[in-house]
Amino acid sequence: MDMVNIKINGAPYSVPVGSTILEAARYAGIHIPTLCFLKDINEIGACRICVVEVVGAKNLVGACVYPVAEGMQILTSSPKVFESRKRTLELILSTHDKKCLTCVRAGSCELQRLCREFKVEDENYYQGEDIRYEVDDTAVHMYRDNNKCILCRRCVAACSKLQGIGVIGPNDRGFKTHIGCAFEQNLGDVACVSCGQCIVACPTGAIAEKDDTDEVWKALADPSKHVIVQTAPSIRVTLGEAFEMPIGTNVTGKMVSALRRLGFNAVYDTDFAADLTIVEEATEFIERVKNGGALPMITSCSPGWVEYCEHYYPEFIPNLSSCKSPQQMFGAVAKTWYAQKMGLDPKDIFVVGVMPCTAKKFETKREDQSAAGEGIADVDVAITTRELARMIERAGINFAHLPDSEFDTPLGISTGAGSIFGATGGVMEAALRTAADWLTGGEMKKINFEEVRGVAAIKEATYHIGDLELRVAVTSGLANAKKVLESVKSGEKKYDFIEIMGCPGGCVNGGGQPVQPAEVHNFYDLRALRAAGLYADDAGKALRKSHENPAIQELYKEFFGEPGSHKAHEVLHTHYSERSRF
Amino acid sequence: MANKKSAVPFNVTPEQEQKLNQALQELKGTRGALMPALQKAQEIFGYLPIEVQQRVALGLDIPLEEVYGVSTFYSQFTLNPKGQYKISVCLGTACYVKGSGSLYEALKEKLGIDGGECTEDGKFSLDACRCIGACGLAPVLTINDDVYGRLIVDDLDDILAKYQN
């Protein structure tokens, strides 16, 4: 690698040619604060928080976009730099709704942290015209409060570049510039897919999930309700972040203890339902292959992806697996088989899903998600990882010091195949494990399908299973999904089975996960760090194939009969419908 | 923020449709296609309502919000049609100090529209303009080619009445 010699704050460093000052400082172990900058997707140099002094240059320069050059001398902590950053913050505050006490992002707000670091003493230093905006709370899963927006455009970049959707963007110009939807429509009325990637990109409290924890507290306090909780595969490797633990730490045992202390009647695992999904989905796939059904079959676990398909690629609806998602399958089983088994009226069972995902809130309210009938929802409330963390905090539970405990049975029994659902490629691998076993009568011993793992944008593989040749593709993030779908549409690519996850990296990087500041996004790969925790979990399990899950076997024996049976279709499958592109 | 969908019903002729489609086909896939596409669309339709912007978004395969963002950034684009009678109130320095600001505000109220918009019946549209060179008559407004000067708010009803039938 070609290097250049520079000095930062007087000390010499040799850094790669083409680095920005921000990257060079990082090599030298010096942190330069940023606000608008998100690597690869929002390199616009707009907010001026990262300014540094370059000796000999007329003005301060933006470290996030300014490349280093041989002999460059950089000052990152000079009085001039500090003064400029402080002024910038004061100007941002002049139009910021400073309701920090009641803000959901208090403590994790990047603006708040910078104000503290740069010693902003008067939050009303600049007073002038100020536009007040109405809060847009029309979407099921989130709200936007432009009064707290600093126009960094990180949400816009997440929506248009990561996801290739672009339902939000800057409208008007100058002082009137604001982030919104086309023709000032409400977010609830446009083709937003509810993925929540804008929320985890936002540095302030301008965008946040709708908090549904009150409903959960209410149910927990109601003695007539049997309140059960399911935790999605990825939650066990992300919840710890909300309690200052290293990224990717597996906190399954503490999470179960915390949920039990919150007062749930039983603590169950969506991994169980993930195993169930695989049994149904593998059955569906083999049937489609053998009977000439619509191929490629595409997974339907990710509600953000499903919504995207309905809005933007309705021609692929026949390709979507008819399986409900694991969250919904869990609820469906809880209110049918489990209700019977426990002698409970499904009306009295309250199912809470802890999800990495804001689209799961939307999913609970989809049509045809009522296995018990009579309008009884399969899942009553879906809360995000962040909401669960807040519940744990509010209940005064010292998470880090909790003992480990285990999920309840039977809906808490799972295999390693269920765990990896939380990472991109996991559903494909889990399905392949089961399909391989079934199609070869157990002769194919392959457990690890390495080709479909990892954070690459699009992964492809061809497997020979029995006498079948299966061409599979795995992708995550909807901008990547668009590429895959276009290549299938044009006939350039032929696949039999495709896994698509709405969020880049899959659920571990979902829009409901703990928010990490931009510096973490910019310098660590959250997707890989969190996924590693899940693959380790899988590797450590005795059972790693979904159909070997004893609770699943019991469920079929007692209730469904065979995978893909009429009853299984009634309870575990659903349908989709085209939605407007605008 | 008010919904900016135009209240005036949108009509499109097959000829206009064909012209726009042709322009979009030519531009699709080229870098920076949006500005010329919007200019062409405005040339064809006179303004850029949601129906036109949706056609541009589909034709260029870009998000509608991106189209809208650009159309509201540049003052050369208008989201509303011009009325049968185009009212322009001069907000140049001389007119402004003589009270044209109140005329402008009063007209907004009387017509029930904001600056840049058009009444639902398509009759009146209202815009602010800069100096039209009639400072001696300040404050001034024009309705199509008619010029009215030395106005006070109380004159406005009589003036509007002339155009009502």
Side-chain angles (χ1 to χ4, degrees), chain A residues 275 279 415 434 437 447 542-553:
Chain A
D275 282 335
V279 169
T415 71
T434 289
D437 236 28
I447 285 270
L543 292 176
R544 298 179 63 194
K545 294 174 183 168
S546 296
H547 57 285
E548 292 177 352
N549 181 333
I552 298 288
Q553 290 169 348

Side-chain angles (χ1 to χ4, degrees), chain B residues 6 8 34 74 79 86 138 140-141 143 161:
Chain B
S6 172
V8 182
L34 183 52
Y74 293 100
L79 273 56
K86 285 176 256 188
V140 172
L141 66 78
I143 300 183

Side-chain angles (χ1 to χ4, degrees), chain A residues 4-301:
Chain A
V4 288
N5 299 300
I6 58 167
K7 280 186 174 172
I8 305 180
N9 302 335
Y13 298 98
S14 182
V15 299
V17 170
S19 312
T20 61
I21 293 176
L22 181 70
E23 288 162 346
R26 180 89 191 172
Y27 295 125
I30 295 163
H31 170 67
I32 296 174
T34 57
L35 202 45
C36 69
F37 180 74
L38 275 185
K39 197 166 163 49
D40 298 330
I41 60 165
N42 204 41
E43 305 187 340
I44 57 174
C47 76
R48 315 314 290 171
I49 283 298
C50 68
V51 289
V52 295
E53 226 178 316
V54 170
V55 175
K58 201 170 136 216
N59 295 317
L60 298 176
V61 302
C64 66
V65 288
Y66 203 89
V68 292
E70 181 63 34
M72 188 181 267
Q73 293 185 52
I74 301 156
L75 301 173
T76 67
S77 304
S78 67
K80 199 172 159 189
V81 166
F82 285 169
E83 182 63 17
S84 168
R85 290 181 188 163
K86 186 175 171 180
R87 284 282 166 267
T88 300
L89 289 166
E90 285 163 346
L91 283 165
I92 292 173
L93 290 181
S94 73
T95 57
H96 187 73
D97 191 17
K98 297 171 275 285
K99 289 191 180 134
C100 301
L101 282 178
T102 52
C103 184
V104 69
R105 288 290 299 274
S108 68
C109 172
E110 293 178 42
L111 178 62
Q112 191 182 44
R113 177 177 156 184
L114 286 167
C115 287
R116 185 175 66 238
E117 285 177 358
F118 290 93
K119 209 165 163 261
V120 172
E121 286 155 318
D122 181 0
E123 78 268 30
N124 296 316
Y125 188 83
Y126 291 107
Q127 288 177 341
E129 198 185 331
D130 195 2
I131 303 177
R132 292 289 99 185
Y133 296 92
E134 258 178 60
V135 175
D136 180 356
D137 62 356
T138 54
V140 172
H141 64 295
M142 61 170 273
Y143 64 85
R144 168 179 278 284
D145 180 356
N146 272 347
N147 301 304
K148 290 178 180 168
C149 175
I150 60 166
L151 297 173
C152 67
R153 289 161 171 75
R154 277 160 55 170
C155 57
V156 175
C159 189
S160 57
K161 300 219 177 122
L162 279 184
Q163 301 295 60
I165 294 174
V167 288
I168 49 169
N171 294 342
D172 281 322
R173 71 187 289 174
F175 193 68
K176 286 186 181 160
T177 307
H178 60 280
I179 308 300
C181 303
F183 288 84
E184 311 303 339
Q185 294 174 94
N186 291 322
L187 195 63
D189 299 329
V190 298
C192 163
V193 304
S194 325
C195 72
Q197 285 297 315
C198 55
I199 303 175
V200 285
C202 183
T204 71
I207 326 175
E209 67 282 358
K210 287 243 181 98
D211 187 307
D212 291 313
T213 57
D214 284 349
E215 271 188 77
V216 181
W217 289 115
K218 204 175 128 198
L220 286 170
D222 183 347
S224 71
K225 294 276 181 209
H226 179 77
V227 189
I228 60 176
V229 64
Q230 53 162 327
T231 57
S234 62
I235 312 300
R236 68 208 66 205
V237 294
T238 59
L239 181 62
E241 287 171 38
F243 302 96
E244 315 285 319
M245 293 179 180
I247 296 164
T249 308
N250 187 332
V251 296
T252 311
K254 292 185 194 306
M255 174 179 76
V256 174
S257 299
L259 290 165
R260 212 160 267 143
R261 291 188 186 194
L262 285 173
F264 288 99
N265 294 94
V267 180
Y268 293 131
D269 196 352
T270 313
D271 284 18
F272 162 85
D275 282 335
L276 180 57
T277 304
I278 286 302
V279 169
E280 283 299 313
E281 200 161 324
T283 306
E284 182 185 1
F285 176 63
I286 292 170
E287 202 175 287
R288 284 192 192 208
V289 171
K290 291 195 168 157
N291 302 333
L295 291 176
M297 189 171 94
I298 312 178
T299 56
S300 60
C301 308

